[in-house]
Each structure stands twice: as structure tokens, then as C-alpha cells.
């Protein structure tokens, strides 16, 4: 894997397919790139921007009920996604190191950016399915992408930190994300951002 290949559509598709087939080998290839942090931040901005654009395309094809004036929903989703990726990358690096892992923040961020790039292909597939009238297929892909996301993340983190068990890593990630979501909800509530009831 090299950066120039990833930036082409054919290369992105090929490496996405290879990542799903052999996630640990893909993780090793991403880490072997040893990308500098400024490139990682640019990569993060790129995948978030593309994800936001694809989400906007879905809203154009399948209009949602009006939510009133304010910041467009895809923009909000993009901001939340960016904050989520950075905080999760930091958490995986710090907590993994506490349990004897050898990974660092840069390696974690590289893998999370690549994970998002893989799911750009999934988003594009969903849009294509909706465009040709196969909304049911798009829904199936959407549901299947959830366990796939966590499974690929577990595989990536196992390689990153040199852990021995993918399943232990998988359940550790699930517990971490549950705790993270709980803490985040407490922070949001403490700032007064409580959902308004109808």
C-alpha cells in the first residue's frame, strides 16, 4: 500500500476490498506508511469532508423532515464525527498503552482515518443502491456496516498495540465506547444541551 494508490478510485476500492478480507494485514500496511502528523490531520479533514458530502447526497436523494433553521445536519454530523475520531484515537492510544500496548496516537489516528476511508466506499455503495431504486439493499448495507466497523476497529487495534486476542480487544472497545458515550452525555448535559421534548 502506498499513498498515491489510495488517492485513486481504483486503488481505494482495491485496498478497501483487501482491508475487509484481511484487516490485520491492511493495518500493518497503513502503519508501515509512517505518515507524519500533518499528513494525518489532512487525511482526517479529507475523509470527514467527503463523508459529509456523501451524507448530503443521501439527504438530497431521500429528503428528511424539516428540522427548522440552523446548521445543516450533515455539517453537524461532520463536526461530531471529527471530534469523535480524535477523542477515540486518543483514548485507544492512552488506554492501550496502559495495558501494555505498543501503539501511539499517530498510529491510532492513521488507522482511524483509513477506517473512515473504507467506509466512504460503503457510503458510496449505499448511494448507488438508492440511485438505482434498491433502497432495501442500502438499508441492509447500513445495518451490516455497524458490526463491520467494530470488527475492523478491533482488528486494527490488535495490530496497533500487539495484543494477542482480537475478541478481547473487540469487547474492550465496545466497553470503552459505551463508557465514552456515557461520559460524553454527562458533559453535554452539564453544558445545558438537553434535547427539547415535543
Amino acid at each position: 500500500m502506498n499513498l498515491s494508490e489510495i488517492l485513486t478510485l481504483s486503488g481505494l476500492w482495491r485496498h478497501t476490498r483487501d482491508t475487509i478480507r484481511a484487516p490485520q494485514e491492511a493495518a500493518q500496511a497503513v502503519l508501515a506508511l509512517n505518515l507524519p502528523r500533518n499528513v494525518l490531520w489532512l487525511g482526517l479533514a479529507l475523509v470527514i469532508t467527503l463523508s459529509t458530502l456523501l451524507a448530503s447526497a443521501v439527504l438530497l436523494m431521500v429528503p428528511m423532515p424539516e428540522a427548522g433553521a440552523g446548521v445543516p445536519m450533515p455539517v453537524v454530523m461532520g463536526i461530531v464525527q471529527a471530534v469523535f475520531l480524535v477523542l477515540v484515537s486518543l483514548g485507544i492510544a492512552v488506554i492501550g498503552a496502559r495495558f501494555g500496548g505498543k501503539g501511539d496516537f499517530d498510529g491510532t489516528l492513521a488507522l482511524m482515518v483509513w477506517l473512515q476511508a473504507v467506509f466512504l466506499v460503503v457510503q458510496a455503495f449505499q448511494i448507488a443502491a438508492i440511485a438505482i431504486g434498491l433502497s432495501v439493499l442500502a438499508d441492509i448495507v447500513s445495518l451490516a456496516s455497524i458490526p463491520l466497523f467494530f470488527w475492523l476497529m478491533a482488528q486494527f487495534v490488535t495490530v496497533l498495540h500487539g495484543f494477542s486476542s482480537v475478541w478481547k480487544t473487540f469487547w474492550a472497545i465496545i466497553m470503552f465506547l459505551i463508557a465514552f458515550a456515557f461520559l460524553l452525555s454527562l458533559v453535554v448535559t452539564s453544558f445545558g444541551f438537553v434535547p427539547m421534548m415535543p
Side-chain angles (χ1 to χ4, degrees):
M1 180 186 294
N2 60 63
L3 196 56
S4 60
E5 286 181 340
I6 297 173
L7 295 177
T8 66
L9 289 177
S10 61
L12 179 60
W13 164 250
R14 184 171 68 256
H15 288 301
T16 295
R17 180 192 61 203
D18 293 343
T19 296
I20 294 173
R21 289 177 177 175
Q24 293 202 12
E25 287 81 354
Q28 291 168 351
V30 171
L31 293 173
L33 293 174
N34 198 26
L35 298 173
R37 185 170 295 184
N38 62 326
V39 174
L40 295 177
W41 288 125
L42 287 174
L44 178 65
L46 178 61
V47 295
I48 294 299
T49 300
L50 292 175
S51 179
T52 300
L53 290 174
L54 290 175
S56 299
V58 171
L59 290 180
L60 290 174
M61 299 170 70
V62 186
M64 300 295 179
E66 290 293 334
V71 181
M73 183 57 67
V75 175
V76 174
M77 291 173 60
I79 294 172
V80 170
Q81 189 177 15
V83 173
F84 173 81
L85 284 175
V86 172
L87 292 180
V88 167
S89 296
L90 183 61
I92 289 173
V94 172
I95 295 175
R98 294 281 299 232
F99 285 89
K102 61 183 181 180
D104 58 12
F105 176 74
D106 287 353
T108 310
L109 186 59
L111 291 175
M112 292 302 102
V113 169
W114 175 241
L115 186 59
Q116 292 305 306
V118 168
F119 278 86
L120 288 177
V121 177
V122 175
Q123 281 183 281
F125 183 84
Q126 290 176 281
I127 291 173
I130 294 172
I132 61 177
L134 297 177
S135 297
V136 174
L137 178 59
D139 292 339
I140 292 173
V141 171
S142 179
L143 289 174
S145 67
I146 297 172
L148 178 62
F149 177 85
F150 290 113
W151 179 244
L152 291 179
M153 182 184 287
Q155 297 276 1
F156 284 7
V157 173
T158 299
V159 171
L160 172 73
H161 285 302
F163 293 148
S164 58
S165 172
V166 174
W167 283 108
K168 286 182 180 179
T169 305
F170 176 82
W171 290 113
I173 288 173
I174 296 297
M175 296 303 295
F176 165 71
L177 291 177
I178 291 174
F180 176 79
F182 177 73
L183 291 174
L184 185 61
S185 67
L186 290 179
V187 172
V188 170
T189 303
S190 68
F191 279 96
F193 296 105
V194 181
M196 295 183 65
M197 301 300 292

